[in-house]
Amino acid sequence: MSEQIYIFDTTLRDGEQSPGATMNLAEKLRLARQLEALGVDIMEAGFPAASQGDFESVRAIAKAAGDIQVAALCRALPADIDRAWEAIKEARMPRIHTFLATSPLHMEYKLRKTPDQVVDLAVAAVRRAAAYTENVEFSAEDASRSDKTFLCHVFEAVIDAGARVINIPDTVGYAQPEEYAELIRYVIANTPGSHKAVFSVHCHDDLGLGVANTLAALNAGARQAEVTLLGIGERAGNAALEEVIMSLNVRCDILDFAHQIKSEQLFPACRLLSMIIGRPIPANKAIVGSNAFAHESGIHQDGMLKHRGTYEIMTPESVGRSQSELVLGKHSGRTAVKDKLEDMGYNLDDEQITTMVAAVKKLADKKANIYDEDLEALVLEEIYRLPDRFKLCHVSVQCTDTGVPPMAAVVMEIDGEERRYAGFGVGPVDALFNAIAHLTAYAPELQQYAVNAITGGTDAQGEVVVRLCQNSICAVGRGAHPDVIMASARAFTNALNRLAKKEQER
Ligand code: KIV
Ligand code: ZN
């Protein structure tokens, strides 16, 4: 019998700490639903003490969650723990995840505490959390650079205080697989009471070893893996969920573990995340990149035709990458749109369906075939957008080679009032962005501008992603439209709205 392992997804918490990966409440709820469909055992919904917004999104995710454990992160502080519980108590299976650093460097310089004080704080935190729920996880931050015997001492004490999951993070992505596996083995073997807890790992990818370290740790006795979709997370990110899962599936001959992940949901989940955070999936990304199943060289193509196994270790279908299916067109009615959205996991109310039917018809006027990806982009734009302060009404851009510089005229609604402006730029996008910036009275630095076709075909919707920064606040915006100039205008306006919201929260 294969041993069961638990997949703990932290895309909504550690993942959201990735620069530019902030999500609004509706987007987080949508992603949480997809994580349930994917089959993760535990989803870490956020860090409630970080801000009122974080608290509210964790609470909303907890309320909406079905049979899935919902974790909230908190420092080992009474107020943080109480706040975490307040946020998740309505979940069917809530978990409090408290953490405290245990490495000499962190204890001395960051916490300014002695090892004995750290043990006392950790025990007090776990006791407080255990008074709320039996489902308590303790993480020893920077465990991979901590003293092994001290770790065992801390873990013995917190297990005694009620922790049922013990996490041994490689917080700074410093560990090497064999060394990390050795640490896991040592700690499990030398912590009195270790049989009462599930040991967990959480690996960062600073040296590109997050997935390798996670797999090594599972082989060494860990039974929970903390991972994120697309490996997003603090700095270089975390171990990528889709890579860990497909290693387990493809190499079950030597990685003999059972898990609950429905691998056909991997690609839809990663694609959804990529659309929400406005970060295209790199073409060469393992498992879900557009090149991951493309065979370019003649020798490889020849081999594939003779036997797929020559160059293919898993099928695209097994990770949910079927050919884009034609889903809707000009003549699709309300029921077709509603059914398709339900199939894709969107249960929208009547008003939202009406909005989507109108959006589908509008898109179908410009583009003959509408695919899953198009529909996903429309939902994110039409339904999950925050109520916007800046609304784009009309855009006209002229770009000729008659010596007249490119020009953009823009009409917007700003705080409920219509405003117009026209101006020039060195190119059409520059003219457009200048006009929008002028109207909104922002002068952000454009740090990133990327265009991507959502599907194949020259009539595909263009998806534009921009990253803007002003006064040390940065925001990512995305926009989709068959006309890339319109997509650019939408992305720029979306980023400005997010920037304005962040400024207000500050
Ligand atoms: O990387 C880390 O140590 C963490 C902990 C809070 C688990 O994210
Ligand atoms: Zn982390």
Side-chain angles (χ1 to χ4, degrees), residues 219-365:
N219 264 338
R223 290 294 172 262
Q224 174 178 285
E226 301 198 357
V227 287
T228 60
L229 294 171
L230 294 173
I232 68 167
E234 191 76 46
R235 303 182 311 281
N238 292 61
L241 182 152
E242 63 281 7
E243 295 177 21
V244 169
I245 293 302
M246 290 318 285
S247 266
L248 295 177
N249 288 3
V250 172
R251 296 309 311 272
C252 53
D253 53 329
I254 51 172
L255 293 164
D256 185 16
F257 300 108
H259 62 78
Q260 320 259 29
I261 298 293
K262 298 177 189 69
S263 67
E264 325 74 59
Q265 290 293 334
L266 287 172
F267 183 62
C270 291
R271 188 185 59 198
L272 176 68
L273 174 66
S274 140
M275 284 192 169
I276 289 177
I277 61 174
R279 204 181 286 172
I281 301 177
N284 66 336
K285 168 78 185 64
I287 319 294
V288 291
S290 57
N291 286 352
F293 294 90
H295 300 272
E296 185 70 18
S297 89
I299 295 175
H300 287 212
Q301 288 175 354
D302 179 57
M304 284 289 289
L305 288 173
K306 290 176 174 147
H307 189 291
R308 293 190 78 83
T310 50
Y311 289 104
E312 197 170 77
I313 58 168
M314 59 196 149
T315 63
E317 291 76 19
S318 67
V319 299
R321 299 186 54 153
S322 46
Q323 286 294 329
S324 280
E325 258 179 62
L326 169 64
V327 290
L328 297 169
K330 211 175 171 67
H331 303 292
S332 306
R334 187 180 176 90
T335 314
V337 173
K338 185 169 186 277
D339 287 356
K340 183 60 209 175
L341 286 167
E342 273 173 15
D343 264 11
M344 291 171 71
Y346 293 103
N347 291 312
L348 305 183
D349 62 29
D350 276 355
E351 199 183 320
Q352 290 171 325
I353 297 285
T354 306
T355 308
M356 282 303 295
V357 172
V360 166
K361 291 239 179 284
K362 207 162 146 197
L363 182 60
D365 275 342

Side-chain angles (χ1 to χ4, degrees), residues 342-409:
E342 273 173 15
D343 264 11
M344 291 171 71
Y346 293 103
N347 291 312
L348 305 183
D349 62 29
D350 276 355
E351 199 183 320
Q352 290 171 325
I353 297 285
T354 306
T355 308
M356 282 303 295
V357 172
V360 166
K361 291 239 179 284
K362 207 162 146 197
L363 182 60
D365 275 342
K366 302 193 172 68
K367 183 174 189 292
N369 301 327
I370 297 182
Y371 300 96
D372 277 6
E373 293 89 332
D374 291 314
L375 217 48
E376 193 105 61
L378 281 185
V379 180
L380 292 177
E381 293 230 340
E382 302 292 333
I383 310 294
Y384 291 146
R385 280 267 154 102
L386 293 170
D388 286 340
R389 188 176 156 214
F390 309 129
K391 288 201 183 92
L392 203 58
C393 305
H394 303 289
V395 170
S396 165
V397 174
Q398 281 177 28
C399 182
T400 59
D401 62 355
T402 55
V404 181
M407 194 188 80

Side-chain angles (χ1 to χ4, degrees), residues 10 13-14 17 169-171 202-204 226 233-235 237-238:
T10 181
R13 198 277 298 170
D14 213 322
Q17 289 171 220
D170 182 23
T171 302
H202 174 114
C203 300
H204 280 271
E226 301 198 357
E234 191 76 46
R235 303 182 311 281
N238 292 61

